[in-house]
Amino acid sequence: MTPISRRGFVGLGASVAAGVAVGAGARTAAAAQSAATGTIQDVKHVVILMQENRSFDHYFGRLKGVRGFDDRSGITLSGGYSVFNQPNWLSRQYPWKLSATPPAGGKDGETLAQCNGDLPHSWSSQHSAWNKGRLDNWVLGVGNVRSLGYLDRSDIPFHYALADNYTICDAYFCSTLSATGPNRTYLWSGKVDSSSYDGGDESGLTWQNYAEALQAAGVSWRVYQNAADNYGDNACAYFKNFADAKPGDPLYDRGMSSVPRATGSTPDDIAAAIKADVLAGTLPQVSWVVPNQAFSEHPYAPPGDGAHFVNLVYQALAADPDVFDSTVLFLNYDENDGFFDHVPPPAPPAGTAGEFLNGTPFGFGFRVPMIVVSPWTRGGWVSSEVFEHTSVLRFLETWTAALGKPARCANISDWRRKVSGDLTGVFDFAHPVHGAVSLPATSVIGIDTCGPLPNPVPTNNALPAQEPGTRPARALPYQPGGHLDRLEFGSAGKILAWFTMTNQGGPAARAAHFSIHPNAYRDSTPWQYTVEPGGTASDYFNIGLGYGSGKYDLSMVGPNRFLRRFQGDATKAGKTAEVSTRYAVEPGTGKLAIYFRMANSGASSVRFTITSNHYRGDGPWTYTVAAGAATEDYFNAVAYTNGWYDFTVTVDSDASWSRRFTGHLETGAASVSG
């Protein structure tokens, strides 16, 4: 490690240590808006800072208003356990707070948490934890109960403050179930190939790096790094054209060279170079920032030191208010390092072009943090749109096209373009909030503090409580829906349960990813589906002889806490009852509602009961449906519960029969998190 020099820290970081936003307030909002177009064209600079090896739940499972530890739409594991209650060899374990570890090795629990070591995170261990989409093998697949360890606001206050002031994405996934190199290759180029599967060092790649696309389009760009102290994280170096480039070649000068040595401290030197370009008016249109190991947030490197580096970059950009007010900073993380996340990543249907290696999908990988810092993402928002690393390239595509210098990434698969967004949905270009904000003070802990020390150990075993409260939420470009259509009875004990998945929306909507998870009675590997905008998909599961003999328990999962759960026994009276749903405007109000159609194909009347599990405190509601008849009712979730709904439907004729419907109604307008 190159230690932070006192000279470097004082010269650039004094205001950072004090938690002061330099340069803020030097320009009025009216002046800032005078030349604004209210469109993406107002962005003049994009800065991409990818840190290392942290999962979303590991950092933000307790943050209020995001899809974290209070998620009521989590999948069910074999045996009926919550996804948070993971197998731990012969017992089970919930996520646990790393800093709650008692003092050891002469250090307190917080130091042990900051210095927590890394975990296996290769192709094999990541796929093992994923376990074909079951998400039930975190401890065994990674090989350590520390995979379930988490940090919270008391441990990483700077990260939480960024989320509270800007926009956090709680459905941002890494690109592949593998290690650092392949995920950074996705960020810089949009794809990997078979050489990436083992998570080894990337080298000699021959397809186009996106920096080359920018160069060809006439868009200025640069990598800010110390080439001798970058932890191998500059993905330009993975590509043959860059590795072979010499001084004088833009690929070398912009992609491989080092920032000037000003202090002898890599993080200070990088921040000083950014600040110098900001003040000189020479900050490139696109910048990648690559720290060294000690400030990368890779486990063993304290997150507090990563926060200090992010703060250095933030303050460097804020050195000129005009630059800061026209810049987007994407702060994301390459992969999860084996740390737990509870949301199943979208996976491609079998045979999807460019997405499989020997029958195993490349990704998506697990959720990782993404915070978007800009004037157009101020306000503590959350976006639950599905993104992954190629979404950053998609944003650059959209932005450069708007500037009249289109730079397209030719490597992104068609499936990723369908399922993953381009990040423009997290912005409100019409209503910027200018100026830097005051953030918590940061300082240097020092990687030398961290070794050798004992690793943290669990001290309790209960589901962590998430911070109470909500946050404003961006509109989403899809409206998932679905239900169990019908049961079909065939010969030799064959019973088919037919499902329909819908994605309601107009031509600007995006494809929605669904998966159906068998919770019991059959192999629990989920089936994967992609439903086009405005489209439907249907499939069936055999629930007959050999697959439960009529018993079934299946969950349908989609984006933004969408969940359907279907339980019953096709040999009992409930086989004649069914419920389907649709979304439509409530008559007379213009407000979107969820409609339930309750049908009874039996010979006797059936009483249906709809019970609210959350969001509403009234009810339940009962409906008697005559033999061979159906009835429909609706619930206006938009007017009363910010679009959120969570209902369970049961019937009086069969205690084994139930249907749960959970999700959010999208209106095209901003909402509130669930």
Side-chain angles (χ1 to χ4, degrees):
M1 165 196 178
T2 302
I4 287 285
S5 67
R6 177 65 181 167
R7 178 167 62 91
F9 178 70
V10 173
L12 182 75
S15 62
V16 177
V20 176
V22 299
R27 191 174 60 141
T28 66
Q33 294 173 350
S34 61
T37 66
T39 71
I40 196 174
Q41 294 178 352
D42 294 333
V43 177
K44 306 304 180 188
H45 310 277
V46 177
V47 179
I48 304 158
L49 172 51
M50 175 176 272
Q51 294 286 77
E52 283 264 7
N53 294 46
R54 304 286 176 169
S55 81
F56 188 90
D57 277 343
H58 169 66
Y59 261 21
F60 291 115
R62 293 202 64 206
L63 179 69
K64 73 173 183 179
V66 300
R67 192 172 184 183
F69 293 143
D70 74 349
D71 185 7
R72 293 169 293 277
S73 301
I75 61 172
T76 300
L77 305 186
S78 179
Y81 295 99
S82 158
V83 66
F84 296 107
N85 191 1
Q86 287 286 317
N88 180 22
W89 305 105
L90 298 179
S91 61
R92 305 193 76 87
Q93 177 67 49
Y94 283 100
W96 53 279
K97 187 174 179 179
L98 291 166
S99 59
T101 301
K107 303 293 184 181
D108 61 17
E110 183 59 53
T111 301
L112 297 179
Q114 291 285 328
C115 296
N116 175 61
D118 64 348
L119 297 162
H121 48 277
S122 66
W123 172 277
S124 59
S125 65
Q126 296 278 45
H127 278 81
S128 183
W130 177 63
N131 199 15
K132 299 182 179 180
R134 299 182 183 97
L135 266 64
D136 62 355
N137 201 41
W138 279 98
V139 177
L140 278 68
V142 174
N144 199 304
V145 73
R146 285 189 293 115
S147 63
L148 300 177
Y150 70 84
L151 303 167
D152 64 13
R153 186 180 295 273
S154 65
D155 306 305
I156 49 174
F158 181 85
H159 296 80
Y160 272 59
L162 275 183
D164 288 342
N165 281 281
Y166 292 99
T167 297
I168 188 167
C169 301
D170 70 355
Y172 185 98
F173 298 82
C174 61
S175 289
T176 178
L177 291 157
S178 191
T180 286
N183 276 291
R184 288 180 176 262
T185 299
Y186 267 108
L187 179 76
W188 257 273
S189 74
K191 77 167 191 175
V192 294
D193 66 6
S194 59
S195 67
S196 298
Y197 83 95
D198 64 355
D201 293 335
E202 303 277 82
S203 63
L205 305 181
T206 56
W207 57 88
Q208 188 185 58
N209 183 301
Y210 190 71
E212 294 176 283
L214 293 174
Q215 181 70 24
V219 177
S220 61
W221 62 276
R222 182 183 178 181
V223 177
Y224 287 90
Q225 65 159 354
N226 177 349
D229 186 26
N230 67 7
Y231 203 32
D233 280 351
N234 176 12
C236 287
Y238 307 164
F239 289 80
K240 188 175 187 302
N241 285 350
F242 287 81
D244 292 346
K246 305 299 181 186
D249 183 335
L251 300 189
Y252 178 89
D253 295 342
R254 300 180 182 183
M256 301 292 286
S257 64
S258 298
V259 298
R261 181 181 175 87
T263 69
S265 160
T266 291
D268 282 342
D269 287 348
I270 290 172
I274 294 172
K275 182 177 180 180
D277 285 346
V278 166
L279 293 175
T282 56
L283 184 71
Q285 291 170 282
V286 179
S287 304
W288 288 271
V289 182
V290 182
N292 60 346
Q293 177 185 1
F295 290 81
S296 69
E297 300 179 52
H298 191 286
Y300 289 120
D305 288 358
H308 186 70
F309 179 67
V310 175
N311 207 1
L312 288 174
V313 173
Y314 183 93
Q315 304 299 343
L317 294 171
D320 183 326
D322 287 334
V323 172
F324 188 83
D325 289 341
S326 59
T327 296
V328 173
L329 170 62
F330 290 120
L331 172 63
N332 61 5
Y333 292 72
D334 49 27
E335 34 96 352
N336 63 296
D337 191 77
F339 287 117
F340 169 80
D341 190 76
H342 79 279
V343 176
T352 302
E355 291 294 340
F356 282 84
L357 175 62
N358 299 326
T360 301
F362 283 111
F364 297 173
F366 300 110
R367 287 191 307 169
V368 291
M370 164 64 112
I371 299 174
V372 185
V373 176
S374 79
W376 309 281
T377 54
R378 280 277 294 273
W381 290 79
V382 62
S383 171
S384 297
E385 186 176 350
V386 172
F387 303 120
E388 47 88 36
H389 293 329
T390 68
S391 298
V392 177
L393 301 180
R394 300 271 306 287
F395 179 85
L396 294 174
E397 286 183 335
T398 302
W399 176 55
T400 57
L403 298 180
K405 296 182 177 181
R408 180 173 171 81
C409 180
N411 306 318
I412 303 172
S413 74
D414 291 341
W415 179 76
R416 287 181 189 253
R417 288 185 178 276
K418 287 181 180 180
V419 172
S420 182
D422 67 0
L423 284 164
T424 57
V426 311
F427 295 86
D428 182 355
F429 292 111
H431 302 97
V433 180
H434 293 101
V437 300
S438 181
L439 295 166
T442 60
S443 59
V444 179
I445 297 169
I447 196 171
D448 290 344
T449 303
C450 294
L453 287 174
N455 281 311
V457 294
T459 58
N460 72 332
N461 194 8
L463 180 64
Q466 193 168 339
E467 295 177 341
T470 60
R471 61 183 60 227
R474 295 298 187 195
L476 302 184
Y478 27 63
Q479 180 65 82
H483 50 266
L484 195 162
D485 274 333
R486 65 192 185 278
L487 301 177
E488 287 186 358
F489 295 84
S491 60
K494 190 174 185 178
I495 307 173
L496 303 183
W498 279 90
F499 297 88
T500 291
M501 292 154 280
T502 64
N503 180 16
Q504 194 168 312
R510 185 168 304 284
H513 174 269
F514 293 81
S515 53
I516 297 180
H517 298 248
N519 301 318
Y521 309 119
R522 59 178 297 145
D523 178 73
S524 57
T525 302
W527 295 12
Q528 310 287 342
Y529 307 87
T530 301
V531 181
E532 299 286 348
T536 63
S538 63
D539 204 352
Y540 64 84
F541 282 70
N542 187 349
I543 61 172
L545 190 64
Y547 298 96
S549 299
K551 295 179 180 179
Y552 59 92
D553 182 354
L554 301 108
S555 294
M556 179 188 296
V557 175
N560 195 28
R561 307 179 195 242
F562 173 87
L563 174 70
R564 302 288 190 258
R565 187 171 183 180
F566 313 98
Q567 295 175 279
D569 186 338
T571 67
K572 294 185 176 181
K575 67 183 179 181
T576 66
E578 205 45 75
V579 178
S580 60
T581 58
R582 65 187 179 93
Y583 306 116
V585 173
E586 177 187 6
T589 69
K591 300 290 187 180
L592 196 63
I594 180 169
Y595 284 69
F596 292 87
R597 183 179 187 274
M598 294 155 278
N600 173 21
S601 61
S604 303
S605 65
V606 173
R607 186 176 67 186
F608 290 79
T609 298
I610 300 179
T611 302
S612 175
N613 304 311
H614 195 69
Y615 305 117
R616 293 184 62 147
D618 51 345
W621 301 266
T622 60
Y623 310 84
T624 299
V625 181
T631 191
E632 188 174 61
D633 199 2
Y634 59 85
F635 294 83
N636 188 333
V638 171
Y640 301 108
T641 56
N642 295 307
W644 293 99
Y645 62 88
D646 185 355
F647 296 102
T648 294
V649 185
T650 56
V651 293
D652 65 340
S653 59
D654 185 351
S656 72
W657 188 99
S658 71
R659 304 287 188 263
R660 184 181 173 198
F661 301 87
T662 301
H664 184 256
L665 299 178
E666 293 294 327
T667 65
S671 184
V672 175
S673 65

